[in-house]
Amino acid sequence: MDMIKFIIISRHKPGWTRERFFYEWAFIHVSLMLHTAPSMRRFKRYVQHYANPDISNEFRVLPGPTMGWESYAEHWTEKLETTTPGPEYTEQMQPHSFSDSAMEIAYVHGETAHQRADFHSGGVKVIHWLVKAAGRSDAELAREWREKHVPMVQRLLADRGLRKYEINLPCVIDVAEFRGNRVGTLFERASIDPPLGIEELWFDTLEDALRLGSDPELHSALVSSYSGFIDMQKSYSMIANERVVFDFVTPGEISAQSAVLNPDSLEANVFKTGRPYHEPKFEGPAASREEPG
């Protein structure tokens, strides 16, 4: 099934710690999502990546993010939709603010270039946000990425712990529509400048992932290739641990259905009776009261 990935990249909010940010994201945000019926109907796969921006550039082939990005979230959908899933989603999910207002947004579709027979999602991963080099067309740059760089990466890393390699190309969206649908939210100020693309590389171990920068021969070959089609100063890498929260589309990794979608479940009843959650409100003029004579 051809899926669209809605990507959100962010970091902890000012005054918080990374540990607090990850706790809120891992448990409270996930709990809200699993108990919000519109999100469970729309999103077919939800993946979290917990990144460490403090890892030195000597262990990276592309520099670490200058913005100190710590989170990379994938929301898989069957079609390109820039609207929110519905008023219930906004009411239940939006008040939970746990990330900085600085973030990057992208809609992409993925292509698997390499996958081992024993592959299973999760674990150590390197993510490359690729910014296109100036002076050449997007089509020309994408062709060099696909036809020259991808085969070289497969050849160099196949015996160096690479479990899977996927490239993601951007989808064209109406930015004004996206911002208009999210007025008053953190997304309203997000960066939506599309990259040339995004690379995802899964490794057996962290040591395998760090070899991209620490192995001189490997590093030199990769830098030479990347330099031919991306802006090496504006592109960046995220070294992360992947956690699949739920997955309704990947053979061999299908999750159980969310209970909130079963109208007879406790979760569905809590979702239904929990809204609205404010106190009783009188919507008209106060009723006059006769004073006793």
Side-chain angles (χ1 to χ4, degrees):
M1 182 185 297
D2 188 24
M3 305 294 290
I4 301 297
K5 300 179 188 179
F6 172 39
I7 306 297
I8 304 173
I9 303 173
S10 191
R11 62 189 182 188
H12 68 269
K13 63 170 63 178
W16 279 28
T17 63
R18 188 177 302 157
E19 290 75 14
R20 170 72 184 278
F21 173 51
F22 283 171
Y23 168 78
E24 294 266 344
W25 190 30
F27 295 104
I28 299 177
H29 183 73
V30 165
S31 178
L32 285 171
M33 179 174 284
L34 295 179
H35 288 81
T36 305
S39 68
M40 297 311 301
R41 282 193 288 267
R42 173 178 287 190
F43 301 131
K44 304 306 178 184
R45 190 173 192 259
Y46 176 51
V47 187
Q48 296 179 330
H49 299 81
Y50 299 83
N52 184 355
D54 300 333
I55 294 175
S56 170
N57 282 344
E58 67 181 294
F59 297 108
R60 303 171 185 262
V61 65
L62 298 180
T66 57
M67 295 293 287
W69 299 133
E70 298 165 325
S71 66
Y72 178 99
E74 292 182 355
H75 307 73
W76 290 34
T77 64
E78 293 178 302
K79 56 184 178 180
L80 184 60
E81 297 175 295
T82 60
T83 59
T84 58
E88 302 97 335
Y89 176 91
T90 302
E91 182 180 74
Q92 186 145 314
M93 297 290 291
Q94 189 168 298
H96 180 225
S97 172
F98 65 101
S99 70
D100 192 8
S101 59
M103 59 179 64
E104 288 193 294
I105 301 294
Y107 285 85
V108 300
H109 59 90
E111 301 175 6
T112 299
H114 169 83
Q115 181 171 317
R116 283 199 326 222
D118 63 350
F119 175 79
H120 197 277
S121 299
V124 177
K125 192 167 173 181
V126 175
I127 299 165
H128 289 152
W129 179 275
L130 305 179
V131 176
K132 57 191 175 186
R136 297 167 66 189
S137 70
D138 291 3
E140 184 181 2
L141 294 170
R143 185 165 56 251
E144 182 164 343
W145 182 22
R146 269 200 185 107
E147 298 178 4
K148 295 182 179 180
H149 181 78
V150 168
M152 187 210 66
V153 170
Q154 291 177 268
R155 185 178 69 255
L156 289 176
L157 299 181
D159 296 324
R160 288 182 165 98
L162 183 67
R163 298 189 295 126
K164 184 177 180 179
Y165 176 31
E166 187 159 302
I167 65 172
N168 299 273
L169 296 157
C171 303
V172 177
I173 69 165
D174 186 326
V175 174
E177 179 185 75
F178 177 90
R179 294 195 187 282
N181 289 327
R182 288 164 171 80
V183 172
T185 74
L186 291 179
F187 294 117
E188 188 179 10
R189 289 171 284 175
S191 171
I192 318 181
D193 294 330
L196 171 66
I198 303 172
E199 287 187 324
E200 299 176 86
L201 301 100
W202 288 254
F203 290 94
D204 286 322
T205 67
L206 179 59
E207 289 72 21
D208 291 326
L210 299 183
R211 195 178 292 125
L212 297 183
S214 63
D215 183 315
E217 182 180 349
L218 181 58
H219 181 266
S220 177
L222 289 171
V223 166
S224 177
S225 180
Y226 281 119
S227 299
F229 66 100
I230 68 169
D231 186 319
M232 292 289 289
Q233 300 304 312
K234 295 180 180 178
S235 301
Y236 62 81
S237 66
M238 299 178 71
I239 299 173
N241 186 63
E242 179 185 65
R243 175 202 189 196
V244 178
V245 178
F246 58 80
D247 187 340
F248 305 133
V249 294
T250 305
E253 300 187 20
I254 302 296
S255 304
Q257 189 60 261
S258 174
V260 76
L261 298 181
N262 175 1
D264 298 322
S265 69
L266 170 63
E267 289 81 359
N269 187 61
V270 168
F271 175 73
K272 180 175 66 176
T273 60
R275 301 173 23 257
Y277 48 76
H278 51 68
E279 75 284 357
K281 293 183 178 179
F282 183 65
E283 302 298 340
S288 61
R289 179 180 297 175
E290 292 289 337
E291 296 293 331

